[in-house]
Amino acid sequence: RAAASVLNPRAVSHRGFYPRCWPSFLCAKATMLKHLQTTVEDLASPHPLLVLFEVSVVTALLPALGFYRHPQDPFFLRASFPWLVLAPLLCGLRYGFVHGVGSAVVLDLFIYGCYELKLGVPAFPGSLALGMLLISMLAGEFCDMWHRRLHHLSELHYHHQTLLRRFIRAYHLLSLSHDRLQRRVLGNTKSLRETMTYLRERALRVA
């Protein structure tokens, strides 16, 4: 019985020699990670025309609202807050460097055109134009850096998932091999009493 208890992993699993719950735990962990897995490929990729349409709408929304509500100040230049900065900021954070800078350049050109045509712009706001360019650059660079980092974390996560699957597969194979070896050894073992009886009979036969 002592030999059987040593060779039986179920009898000593509570002592930590052979943790039978590990495969189930690893499978559950792999399933949980699979459900929580979010990579760049899983994210929705909008159509380029839809992106262009959204950037155009966001860029033209505030000037259109300004021309509708305040024709004498369509770009909110006399306001206490430069509301035009929101368009390139949102475009840069949402779609990256190119779209943010493009929105800022379009707004700057639009303001310059209204200044040349004397449409509510008495003087060209150079500081505002430069500020919109800088803010769009910073927001776009932050968005691109975040996407690059997300790509790197996605690749690292995929590598760890691959290693975890290989480890689970190897652990299952090792568990099956251990069970087969256990059954083979338990089938061939004899108790101490049977061994002593066998030796006594052999000794009597020889004598």
Side-chain angles (χ1 to χ4, degrees):
R1 292 180 180 178
S5 63
V6 172
L7 293 174
N8 189 5
R10 295 181 178 83
V12 297
S13 59
H14 63 280
R15 298 181 182 179
F17 295 103
Y18 188 80
R20 300 285 293 181
C21 61
W22 278 12
S24 301
F25 170 74
L26 292 175
C27 292
K29 185 176 181 181
T31 305
M32 180 183 67
L33 291 177
K34 183 177 181 181
H35 289 305
L36 294 178
Q37 179 177 351
T38 301
T39 60
V40 179
E41 292 75 11
D42 298 330
L43 300 178
S45 179
H47 195 273
L49 294 179
L50 182 61
V51 173
L52 183 60
F53 175 75
E54 183 177 344
V55 171
S56 302
V57 170
V58 172
T59 303
L61 182 61
L62 284 176
L65 183 62
F67 274 105
Y68 177 73
R69 296 294 301 272
H70 305 284
Q72 67 279 4
D73 186 19
F75 299 102
F76 306 97
L77 299 179
R78 300 184 184 92
S80 58
F81 180 80
W83 294 101
L84 287 181
V85 177
L86 292 179
L89 177 63
L90 293 176
C91 293
L93 289 175
R94 179 67 176 89
Y95 293 114
F97 184 86
V98 176
H99 297 89
V101 173
S103 176
V105 169
V106 169
L107 285 176
D108 290 343
L109 293 177
F110 196 25
I111 294 175
Y112 184 77
C114 292
Y115 165 71
E116 290 292 334
L117 298 175
K118 306 299 181 182
L119 297 177
V121 183
F124 181 73
S127 60
L128 177 61
L130 181 60
M132 285 194 299
L133 285 174
L134 293 178
I135 288 177
S136 64
M137 289 179 182
L138 291 176
E141 183 61 28
F142 176 79
C143 179
D144 293 341
M145 180 183 66
W146 180 78
H147 276 286
R148 288 193 297 267
R149 187 173 183 181
L150 185 60
H151 274 285
H152 175 70
L153 292 178
S154 176
E155 294 176 358
L156 188 62
H157 175 74
Y158 178 77
H159 176 67
H160 288 168
Q161 283 288 99
T162 304
L163 293 180
L164 181 61
R165 293 191 191 96
R166 292 178 180 176
F167 178 75
I168 293 175
R169 191 179 300 111
Y171 192 89
H172 277 296
L173 292 177
L174 181 62
S175 178
L176 292 175
S177 177
H178 184 274
D179 291 339
R180 292 178 181 177
L181 181 62
Q182 170 195 343
R183 288 193 295 267
R184 183 180 303 176
V185 171
L186 290 178
N188 296 330
T189 54
K190 296 181 180 180
S191 63
L192 181 60
R193 183 177 180 179
E194 293 176 352
T195 304
M196 295 297 295
T197 303
Y198 175 75
L199 292 178
R200 186 178 60 181
E201 293 177 354
R202 289 293 301 273
L204 291 177
R205 290 177 184 176
V206 172

